């Protein structure tokens, strides 16, 4: 079966077409997908059906994307979301 490649925190991850980003990351051994806003605690796949929001990641620069519901695509850049994943505010230092 042909596989896709995407990146998580800059590391190449292999996935099956149609697979969710969360499933591909779990298969690769990646368990931590984000950290909480207040206490910086690690979170990862929990419900796997889009309900708990523990799997939020940044995909191609867009924060708050659920890894369990988002299908992999070739060469997308996924990063571990820190806190709320808010966009940087222009002009802020
Ligand atoms: S794992 Fe619960 S919303 Fe994605």
């Amino acid at each position: 079966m042909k596989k896709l490649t995407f990146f998580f925190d800059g590391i190449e991850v292999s996935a099956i077409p149609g697979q969710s980003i969360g499933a591909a990351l779990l298969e690769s051994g990646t368990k931590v997908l984000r950290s909480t806003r207040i206490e910086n605690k690690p979170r990862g796949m929990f419900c796997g059906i889009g309900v708990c929001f523990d799997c939020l990641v940044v995909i191609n620069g867009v924060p708050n994307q659920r890894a369990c519901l988002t299908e992999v695509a070739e060469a997308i850049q996924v990063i571990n979301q820190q806190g709320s994943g808010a966009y940087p505010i222009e002009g802020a230092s």
Side-chain angles (χ1 to χ4, degrees):
M1 176 179 286
K2 187 176 189 292
K3 291 218 166 187
L4 297 174
T5 299
F6 69 101
F7 298 88
F8 183 70
D9 287 344
I11 297 170
E12 220 175 85
V13 180
S14 183
I16 299 166
Q19 193 172 31
S20 72
I21 291 169
L25 288 172
L26 270 182
E27 190 175 2
S28 76
T30 303
K31 294 181 180 163
V32 176
L33 303 184
R34 73 175 184 100
S35 61
T36 60
R37 189 168 37 107
I38 296 175
E39 294 186 16
N40 200 34
K41 301 276 187 181
R43 293 290 183 266
M45 293 281 285
F46 183 65
C47 72
I49 57 172
V51 176
C52 72
F53 290 76
D54 271 354
C55 66
L56 296 178
V57 290
V58 180
I59 302 172
N60 288 338
V62 180
N64 298 312
Q65 305 298 302
R66 285 172 285 182
C68 69
L69 297 182
T70 308
E71 193 172 309
V72 292
E74 184 67 37
I76 56 172
Q77 300 284 334
V78 181
I79 59 174
N80 184 317
Q81 180 166 313
Q82 304 299 304
S84 65
Y87 290 102
I89 299 168
E90 277 187 42
S93 54

PDB file of all heavy atoms in Angstrom, residues 45-48 50-53 55 66 68, ligand 1:
ATOM      1  N   MET A  45      -4.181  11.730  22.362  1.00  0.00           N
ATOM      2  CA  MET A  45      -5.431  11.115  21.934  1.00  0.00           C
ATOM      3  C   MET A  45      -6.140  10.516  23.154  1.00  0.00           C
ATOM      4  O   MET A  45      -5.547   9.796  23.941  1.00  0.00           O
ATOM      5  CB  MET A  45      -5.134  10.009  20.928  1.00  0.00           C
ATOM      6  CG  MET A  45      -4.579  10.512  19.617  1.00  0.00           C
ATOM      7  SD  MET A  45      -5.855  11.163  18.545  1.00  0.00           S
ATOM      8  CE  MET A  45      -6.597   9.638  18.005  1.00  0.00           C
ATOM      9  N   PHE A  46      -7.422  10.827  23.303  1.00  0.00           N
ATOM     10  CA  PHE A  46      -8.189  10.275  24.415  1.00  0.00           C
ATOM     11  C   PHE A  46      -9.464   9.624  23.885  1.00  0.00           C
ATOM     12  O   PHE A  46      -9.609   8.422  23.916  1.00  0.00           O
ATOM     13  CB  PHE A  46      -8.493  11.361  25.449  1.00  0.00           C
ATOM     14  CG  PHE A  46      -9.211  10.856  26.655  1.00  0.00           C
ATOM     15  CD1 PHE A  46      -8.607   9.962  27.518  1.00  0.00           C
ATOM     16  CD2 PHE A  46     -10.505  11.271  26.932  1.00  0.00           C
ATOM     17  CE1 PHE A  46      -9.280   9.474  28.629  1.00  0.00           C
ATOM     18  CE2 PHE A  46     -11.184  10.800  28.041  1.00  0.00           C
ATOM     19  CZ  PHE A  46     -10.567   9.899  28.892  1.00  0.00           C
ATOM     20  N   CYS A  47     -10.402  10.427  23.381  1.00  0.00           N
ATOM     21  CA  CYS A  47     -11.669   9.832  22.911  1.00  0.00           C
ATOM     22  C   CYS A  47     -11.535   9.282  21.485  1.00  0.00           C
ATOM     23  O   CYS A  47     -12.164   8.295  21.138  1.00  0.00           O
ATOM     24  CB  CYS A  47     -12.796  10.857  22.979  1.00  0.00           C
ATOM     25  SG  CYS A  47     -12.694  12.157  21.730  1.00  0.00           S
ATOM     26  N   GLY A  48     -10.765   9.951  20.670  1.00  0.00           N
ATOM     27  CA  GLY A  48     -10.570   9.514  19.282  1.00  0.00           C
ATOM     28  C   GLY A  48     -11.756   9.770  18.370  1.00  0.00           C
ATOM     29  O   GLY A  48     -11.755   9.338  17.215  1.00  0.00           O
ATOM     30  N   GLY A  50     -13.462  13.124  18.397  1.00  0.00           N
ATOM     31  CA  GLY A  50     -13.747  14.545  18.264  1.00  0.00           C
ATOM     32  C   GLY A  50     -14.485  15.200  19.408  1.00  0.00           C
ATOM     33  O   GLY A  50     -14.956  16.323  19.260  1.00  0.00           O
ATOM     34  N   VAL A  51     -14.556  14.549  20.545  1.00  0.00           N
ATOM     35  CA  VAL A  51     -15.350  15.084  21.657  1.00  0.00           C
ATOM     36  C   VAL A  51     -14.499  15.780  22.726  1.00  0.00           C
ATOM     37  O   VAL A  51     -14.872  16.824  23.239  1.00  0.00           O
ATOM     38  CB  VAL A  51     -16.190  13.960  22.309  1.00  0.00           C
ATOM     39  CG1 VAL A  51     -16.943  14.465  23.525  1.00  0.00           C
ATOM     40  CG2 VAL A  51     -17.161  13.383  21.290  1.00  0.00           C
ATOM     41  N   CYS A  52     -13.341  15.230  23.066  1.00  0.00           N
ATOM     42  CA  CYS A  52     -12.608  15.695  24.245  1.00  0.00           C
ATOM     43  C   CYS A  52     -11.651  16.869  23.987  1.00  0.00           C
ATOM     44  O   CYS A  52     -11.263  17.555  24.906  1.00  0.00           O
ATOM     45  CB  CYS A  52     -11.824  14.544  24.862  1.00  0.00           C
ATOM     46  SG  CYS A  52     -10.378  14.026  23.903  1.00  0.00           S
ATOM     47  N   PHE A  53     -11.235  17.083  22.772  1.00  0.00           N
ATOM     48  CA  PHE A  53     -10.312  18.156  22.385  1.00  0.00           C
ATOM     49  C   PHE A  53      -8.924  17.995  23.017  1.00  0.00           C
ATOM     50  O   PHE A  53      -8.170  18.947  23.113  1.00  0.00           O
ATOM     51  CB  PHE A  53     -10.890  19.537  22.705  1.00  0.00           C
ATOM     52  CG  PHE A  53     -12.045  19.902  21.802  1.00  0.00           C
ATOM     53  CD1 PHE A  53     -13.308  19.339  21.984  1.00  0.00           C
ATOM     54  CD2 PHE A  53     -11.870  20.777  20.750  1.00  0.00           C
ATOM     55  CE1 PHE A  53     -14.371  19.657  21.149  1.00  0.00           C
ATOM     56  CE2 PHE A  53     -12.924  21.106  19.900  1.00  0.00           C
ATOM     57  CZ  PHE A  53     -14.182  20.544  20.101  1.00  0.00           C
ATOM     58  N   CYS A  55      -6.599  16.305  21.682  1.00  0.00           N
ATOM     59  CA  CYS A  55      -5.650  16.040  20.595  1.00  0.00           C
ATOM     60  C   CYS A  55      -5.361  17.267  19.742  1.00  0.00           C
ATOM     61  O   CYS A  55      -4.902  17.134  18.608  1.00  0.00           O
ATOM     62  CB  CYS A  55      -6.185  14.917  19.713  1.00  0.00           C
ATOM     63  SG  CYS A  55      -7.700  15.384  18.838  1.00  0.00           S
ATOM     64  N   ARG A  66      -8.256  19.259  15.517  1.00  0.00           N
ATOM     65  CA  ARG A  66      -8.305  17.956  16.182  1.00  0.00           C
ATOM     66  C   ARG A  66      -7.612  16.893  15.327  1.00  0.00           C
ATOM     67  O   ARG A  66      -8.053  16.579  14.224  1.00  0.00           O
ATOM     68  CB  ARG A  66      -9.745  17.568  16.470  1.00  0.00           C
ATOM     69  CG  ARG A  66     -10.329  18.350  17.631  1.00  0.00           C
ATOM     70  CD  ARG A  66     -11.772  18.115  17.793  1.00  0.00           C
ATOM     71  NE  ARG A  66     -12.491  18.840  16.742  1.00  0.00           N
ATOM     72  CZ  ARG A  66     -13.809  18.884  16.619  1.00  0.00           C
ATOM     73  NH1 ARG A  66     -14.561  18.241  17.468  1.00  0.00           N
ATOM     74  NH2 ARG A  66     -14.370  19.553  15.648  1.00  0.00           N
ATOM     75  N   CYS A  68      -7.555  13.782  15.755  1.00  0.00           N
ATOM     76  CA  CYS A  68      -8.333  12.552  15.571  1.00  0.00           C
ATOM     77  C   CYS A  68      -9.344  12.650  14.443  1.00  0.00           C
ATOM     78  O   CYS A  68      -9.836  11.631  13.964  1.00  0.00           O
ATOM     79  CB  CYS A  68      -9.034  12.155  16.870  1.00  0.00           C
ATOM     80  SG  CYS A  68     -10.378  13.257  17.367  1.00  0.00           S
TER      81      CYS A  68
HETATM   82  S1  LIG B   1      -8.984  12.591  20.831  1.00  0.00           S
HETATM   83 FE1  LIG B   1     -10.744  13.514  21.681  1.00  0.00          FE
HETATM   84  S2  LIG B   1     -11.180  15.148  20.307  1.00  0.00           S
HETATM   85 FE2  LIG B   1      -9.515  14.119  19.411  1.00  0.00          FE
END
